[in-house]
Amino acid sequence: MRRLIGWTAGLVGIAALARLLAARRDRTPPPASPAEDPAEELRRKLAESRDADAPAAEPTRPSERNESLEERRARVHAKAQEALSAMGDLEGPT
């Protein structure tokens, strides 16, 4: 008799859980329509900003800057040395 009560209680619990999950699934909002999709709006804004910035963009190639390879290496080396000294200053005494 105890087994029958145990099985019945288990089945009632499983049925209650199934109803709870079904009710939760019904409450989820439908997906947004493409016109309301925030990702599409952000992509559109990004494309507009890229179009607006294109003429004002700074050249990045050394040939466009009239900079030789040695000059570029020296500039990058100096920047790296500054970063290393800044990291050394952060370390403090050891």
Side-chain angles (χ1 to χ4, degrees):
M1 186 68 178
R2 285 186 176 183
R3 277 190 194 171
L4 180 62
I5 293 174
W7 276 99
T8 305
L11 290 174
V12 169
I14 290 172
L17 181 63
R19 288 187 74 187
L20 178 70
L21 292 176
R24 181 183 288 178
R25 192 174 322 141
D26 290 341
R27 282 186 274 163
T28 58
S33 65
E36 298 174 5
D37 189 16
E40 288 299 323
E41 182 180 347
L42 290 175
R43 286 186 191 108
R44 182 185 50 80
K45 286 181 181 179
L46 181 60
E48 289 174 1
S49 69
R50 284 182 182 166
D51 291 341
D53 292 342
E58 185 177 315
T60 57
R61 293 189 179 132
S63 62
E64 292 176 351
R65 289 186 178 175
N66 296 326
E67 182 178 43
S68 70
L69 182 60
E70 290 79 21
E71 291 171 341
R72 183 170 184 227
R73 284 182 181 163
R75 183 176 46 84
V76 170
H77 181 73
K79 189 174 179 181
Q81 288 296 328
E82 289 176 14
L84 284 173
S85 66
M87 286 191 299
D89 293 343
L90 292 176
E91 253 180 52
T94 54

